[in-house]
Amino acid sequence: MKDTSLNQAKRRLSNTKKKSLIGLAFVSPWIIGFLSFGLYPLLRSIRFALATSGKTDFETLKFTLTGFGFAQFKKIFTQEPEHLLAVGNFALDLAVVIPVVLVFSLILALLLNQNIKGKGIFRSIFFLPVVLLSGSMLRYFNSYNLLTVPSITNGALESVIDTYFPSFISTLVITAFSKIVLILWLSGVQTLIFLAGLQKIDKSIYEAAKVDGASGWECFWKITFMELIPLMYINIVYTTIIYSNLGEYNPIINIISSVQSDEVNYGKAYSSALAWLLFFIDIIEIGLFCLFIRLGSKKYE
């Protein structure tokens, strides 16, 4: 009887609700883990960031917070120009890296999706940097300038770009080119995600479009691009998180690490405020890029 009633309940559920329940079942381990281990540190970091000051009593080893407000954020914007400059530089850097990684990984996925011999080997080669991109390996490569192009670091290409482009555009182009090797390394997972999306697109759609006279360019924008939009959102979030956690390229992380133990001038409250400022930068840039893609896709709906 119980099995029969359970099957009847399943039949009464709509397909959307079934998919929602399946999705909830997959993310439930993360939800349980976050509520058990992550929620309290998150709330405590908010309290730290909104404290006027905080000090440690070294006799009892107890950390106490005083006051409540935005004093730490005000200090960042009014009293620490070097830290504010680092925040602005990272926000600009992230705004350049995200679209470049997105475009490169999409082009790479389109190439690897072609019917060519040895494409499995090529896929492995392009994904290999993801396996090697550990913290120690990245620091080693960065210390020996293996993630830069010599013609860019010595200023040869920079002078040419400055000659033909306005200063703002040349800054963006030089920033992108100076990190081109790192961008290649960061594009492995995004390429696989796009590749999985390309392989799920029904080929009969392309055949029908070609019968109607659609060109390859039109097929890309009206079929491929539209089908990959949900995956673009995923890749934007993934790229933002990965790049923001690279201490070698994110000066905010280095500042947080250096100031949290200096309770005379900064302390944990100030470092928590910096961490939340980094979080806001990531959220804003993710939202802006997702909105840009959403608005751009309306042209082809």
Side-chain angles (χ1 to χ4, degrees):
M1 282 296 289
K2 290 183 179 180
D3 293 338
T4 304
S5 60
L6 183 60
N7 290 330
Q8 290 177 350
K10 287 181 178 179
R11 293 191 192 99
R12 286 195 295 267
L13 288 174
S14 64
N15 192 39
T16 303
K17 289 184 178 179
K18 288 180 181 178
K19 289 183 178 179
S20 299
L21 291 174
I22 292 173
L24 184 61
F26 275 107
V27 300
S28 58
W30 181 88
I31 295 175
I32 295 171
F34 174 74
L35 294 176
S36 302
F37 305 106
L39 183 60
Y40 176 74
L42 178 67
L43 296 176
R44 187 157 176 79
S45 69
I46 295 175
R47 177 66 184 97
F48 276 27
L50 295 177
T52 304
S53 62
K55 291 185 179 180
T56 302
D57 186 349
F58 292 99
E59 294 182 0
T60 61
L61 297 179
K62 184 178 180 181
F63 185 77
T64 57
L65 298 169
T66 58
F68 187 85
F70 297 94
Q72 303 301 329
F73 292 96
K74 184 179 180 180
K75 184 176 181 179
I76 295 172
F77 286 97
T78 60
Q79 301 179 24
E80 300 295 337
E82 292 184 0
H83 295 175
L84 186 60
L85 179 62
V87 170
N89 289 339
F90 175 74
L92 178 62
D93 194 14
L94 188 62
V96 174
V97 169
I98 292 175
V100 173
V101 169
L102 208 66
V103 171
F104 176 79
S105 58
L106 177 57
I107 294 173
L108 193 57
L110 291 169
L111 293 174
L112 294 176
N113 195 45
Q114 301 298 315
N115 189 17
I116 56 176
K117 293 183 179 180
K119 59 182 179 182
I121 298 175
F122 287 111
R123 292 173 185 174
S124 302
I125 291 173
F126 282 108
F127 189 71
L128 187 61
V130 179
V131 180
L132 297 177
L133 193 60
S134 62
S136 57
M137 185 71 71
L138 182 63
R139 283 191 293 272
Y140 172 80
F141 280 5
N142 190 46
S143 62
Y144 286 94
N145 294 323
L146 298 178
L147 297 177
T148 58
V149 180
S151 61
I152 297 173
T153 55
N154 61 22
L157 184 61
E158 183 176 351
S159 60
V160 175
I161 295 174
D162 285 333
T163 303
Y164 294 98
F165 293 97
S167 58
F168 177 75
I169 297 178
S170 64
T171 301
L172 296 178
V173 174
I174 292 169
T175 302
F177 272 101
S178 63
K179 300 180 185 299
I180 192 65
V181 180
L182 177 67
I183 288 169
L184 298 179
W185 278 61
L186 290 174
S187 302
V189 173
Q190 295 89 328
T191 301
L192 288 184
I193 292 174
F194 279 138
L195 189 59
L198 289 171
Q199 292 176 348
K200 289 184 65 177
I201 301 176
D202 191 353
K203 294 183 179 179
S204 62
I205 301 177
Y206 292 102
E207 295 173 359
K210 290 179 180 179
V211 170
D212 291 336
S215 64
W217 187 250
E218 291 173 331
C219 288
F220 171 78
W221 286 109
K222 295 185 178 181
I223 300 175
T224 308
F225 179 75
M226 297 301 296
E227 291 290 334
L228 294 180
I229 284 178
L231 301 181
M232 289 183 182
Y233 297 151
I234 295 173
N235 281 338
I236 288 172
V237 175
Y238 178 82
T239 305
T240 303
I241 294 173
I242 289 296
Y243 191 72
S244 296
N245 283 279
L246 292 178
E248 291 77 8
Y249 294 92
N250 186 356
I252 303 177
I253 292 181
N254 297 326
I255 295 173
I256 292 172
S257 300
S258 62
V259 303
Q260 61 182 347
S261 58
D262 184 5
E263 295 190 355
V264 176
N265 300 309
Y266 302 105
K268 296 179 181 178
Y270 182 84
S271 62
S272 296
L274 271 176
W276 277 102
L277 186 58
L278 173 60
F279 172 77
F280 292 139
I281 291 173
D282 290 345
I283 291 296
I284 291 171
E285 299 218 15
I286 288 173
L288 289 176
F289 279 112
C290 290
L291 179 62
F292 178 76
I293 290 176
R294 179 59 184 165
L295 293 176
S297 66
K298 287 186 176 182
K299 180 180 178 181
Y300 303 102
E301 287 182 350

